Each structure stands twice: as structure tokens, then as C-alpha cells.
Amino acid sequence: MTTSTTRRAILRAAVVAAGAMLPLAAFAQTEGEPLKIAMILPGPITDNDWNSVGYNGLQSAGEALNANVAYAENVTDADAERLLRDFAARGYDLVFAHSFSFGDAALNASESFPDTIFMAGTASELSDNLGTYSNPDYQGAYLAGMLAAGASDTDSVGWVGGMPAPNMLANLHAYTAGAKEVNAEVNVLHTFIGSWFDPPKAKEATIAQIEQGADVVSAQGVGVIDGAAEKGVLAIGAMTDQNFLGEETVLTSVTWDLGPLITAVGQAVMDDTWTSENWSYGVASDSVGLAPFHGLDTNVDPAVMEAVEAKIAAIKDGSFEVPLDTSPVD
């Protein structure tokens, strides 16, 4: 039973004991009102990347649960706590802080609003009413590494990301491990540009890697595909099917469907079964996967394509577990 439910039960018992009657509408959504879910996002919901995934997942959950949803985009770290508090004060039952950097803000807000459930992306500290959720795209990154090595003619592949957060480090290590499984001698270049959203800098870093020999690049931020397209090499997109950004460039994309996770969390809140923990939906639950190849799979060694399909099956049946490595890199 959640803290909110316990308090409602105590209040109801006190009212009954006093011989009074309290209208059902005075209680929270579990008494019949629609669930209210809100989300704050660090960037634009139209980025076809991290923020689009959050927004699309929120909308999907809203439809599945018949919930009322709201969001705020382009939220800075400095404004995160204020907006989380605002949604809680407005009666939202479940509030998502959709950024690696919003954890402290969510923790502070959770302490002031104990009857609101908060969920922060990859939070380092939890509370009774603050849980976290991870993006296990490192599982898909392993597959991307296999594909990159299988498509490379130079035995050198690249990876360009934003900040060295645990999730990004896990992605990089898994990408490297997947590439090494296919070609033990492959050279894997990596760059953290120091920002979650800086397309020009991401493009510049991509071109620098290509000039060092990389002919397939993993795009972990906006701008990478632009650099790959300009130089005529392949890229592997992230979060959504990004082939439209370069029809002859984007081999495939590692996709993330956040809808099932938000729906499950929302249902748990409605059922009073929610618990503060790390919620993670990956390849096995079809939340992380590969986008269509749009005919570009001919660039990959057929044996590698077969190996990737076999690896997906192995992840799903539990016979293979992608290593989770978040150790720092130089």
C-alpha cells in the first residue's frame, strides 16, 4: 500500500469514527478520478530522440490508462525542481523527471509532496515516493556494435555521445563489446561532446572520427547523422527510427519505446502496488529493439545479420545477458 493510500485510509477511518460523511470526491484518483501523469523533459519533444521517446511514451500511457497527461519541454536543470513541484501542487498523481540530471530535483520535490509519486530517469538516490527508470539501450548498443563491425570496410567504427553518465558509459561499453565479438581487431573510437544537445559539436566530433578512419558511427545525439551523411559513411541512429535523417546513411536505429514502462508504472499507482525501485524494460519486453533497415542491410555481412538475429533471440530467452559496464573511460 502506498503512502498516499495509507493516509487516505486513515482519513476515511477518522471521518467514519466521528460519525461524519466525507464525499468520495475528496479522495485521490483511486476513488474514481482519472490518473493524472505529468512529465518534464530537457529538450524539444520534436527531436526524434530522447525527448520524443519520453513524449510519445507519455501519450501512449495516457491512452492506455485513460489518464490525463501534461508535460513541459526544454526544461533546464535550474527550473526542474520548480516545475516538478508545480505539477505536484496541481494534483498530478505521477510525475516523471525525464533526464539523467533531474534526480536531485525529483528527490527534493518528493520530500515536499509525499502523496505524489515521482519517477526520475536513472536517479542515484530514491525515497519512499521516488522511483527511477533506466533506459537499457545498452542491450541494443551491443547489437549496434555487431552491425557496425559487420558493415565496416576499414575495421574502424565510431561512437559519439553527450555526457559520460552511467547510461551512456553502459551504451559505449556494450557497443564496443558487440563490435569486438564480430571483429576482435576492430578499432572503436569514442567521443563525449560535453553536452546533451549540441548538434554542431556532435557533427564536428563525427567528422573528426571519420577522418581518423571510422566508416560506421553510432549516433548518440543530434548532429552525428548529419556528419556521417556529409562524409558518406553509415550511421546507426538512436531512440527512434532516424532513417529519414539520412536515407542512404542510417543503417538502422536502436529504438526505445517508453510507453510500456510508463503504462506499467501508472497502472501500479492506480492499483496501489507501486514500489520505489528501478523500473527497466529492454529487449526482452520489446521496448528496446532495432528499427527497419530500409534496404541498407545489404551493407552488412549476411553472417553478421544472422548472428544479430540469434543474439536478439538469446537475449529474449535469457541465454545471453548483455554485460552492464558503467566504468569510466579515458
Side-chain angles (χ1 to χ4, degrees):
M1 182 176 289
T2 65
T3 300
S4 178
T5 303
T6 301
R7 293 187 178 191
R8 293 197 299 273
I10 292 173
L11 176 59
R12 183 186 290 278
V15 171
V16 172
M21 292 189 65
L22 189 66
L24 291 178
F27 293 92
Q29 61 79 215
T30 51
E31 299 294 337
E33 297 177 10
L35 183 72
K36 296 178 68 176
I37 312 174
M39 176 179 287
I40 65 171
L41 307 105
I45 62 171
T46 56
D47 67 352
N48 294 294
D49 204 283
W50 175 265
N51 297 283
S52 290
V53 165
Y55 173 79
N56 292 338
L58 176 67
Q59 298 301 318
S60 176
E63 294 179 6
L65 300 172
N66 193 30
N68 294 330
V69 300
Y71 68 92
E73 59 184 326
N74 296 312
V75 176
T76 65
D77 289 354
D79 285 335
E81 184 175 336
R82 176 179 63 81
L83 289 167
L84 291 171
R85 289 174 176 274
D86 180 63
F87 278 124
R90 288 161 55 191
Y92 281 84
D93 308 288
L94 173 61
V95 184
F96 282 79
H98 189 57
S99 174
F100 302 133
S101 60
F102 290 166
D104 289 343
L107 181 63
N108 292 338
S110 73
E111 293 172 350
S112 299
F113 294 91
D115 292 339
T116 302
I117 300 299
F118 293 88
M119 292 288 293
T122 318
S124 58
E125 186 175 354
L126 306 183
S127 68
D128 288 345
N129 61 316
L130 169 63
T132 188
Y133 60 101
S134 61
N135 170 18
D137 65 347
Y138 70 94
Q139 298 173 1
Y142 192 98
L143 306 173
M146 294 177 67
L147 289 167
S152 176
D153 292 323
T154 63
D155 293 334
S156 184
V157 301
W159 184 100
V160 178
M163 306 280 282
N167 180 270
M168 286 288 96
L169 290 167
N171 188 296
L172 171 58
H173 286 299
Y175 178 77
T176 301
K180 294 287 187 181
E181 176 178 327
V182 170
N183 178 1
E185 304 302 319
V186 69
N187 182 34
V188 181
L189 302 172
H190 71 271
T191 304
F192 288 102
I193 65 171
S195 171
W196 290 120
F197 189 79
D198 190 337
K201 197 169 184 178
K203 180 179 179 180
E204 179 183 343
T206 302
I207 292 175
Q209 290 189 359
I210 295 169
E211 291 176 346
Q212 295 176 62
D215 62 349
V216 185
V217 182
S218 174
Q220 298 301 310
V222 180
V224 177
I225 294 171
D226 291 339
E230 182 175 308
K231 291 297 184 178
V233 305
L234 293 172
I236 297 176
M239 300 293 163
T240 65
D241 183 353
Q242 296 183 324
N243 180 263
F244 72 97
L245 295 174
E247 294 183 355
E248 300 301 321
T249 299
V250 182
L251 176 66
T252 183
S253 302
V254 176
T255 58
W256 184 30
D257 181 0
L258 193 54
L261 186 148
I262 298 178
T263 300
V265 172
Q267 188 65 57
V269 171
M270 294 171 66
D271 295 341
D272 295 323
T273 59
W274 180 90
T275 55
S276 174
E277 60 185 79
N278 178 27
W279 297 65
S280 182
Y281 282 40
V283 171
S285 62
D286 292 324
S287 289
V288 173
L290 295 176
F293 286 81
H294 302 282
L296 298 181
D297 51 318
T298 55
N299 291 282
V300 184
D301 183 335
V304 174
M305 290 296 296
E306 292 180 7
V308 168
E309 290 299 322
K311 191 66 67 177
I312 292 173
I315 295 172
K316 288 187 174 183
D317 68 23
S319 59
F320 178 77
E321 183 175 350
V322 178
L324 176 57
D325 182 359
T326 60
S327 60
V329 295
D330 295 329

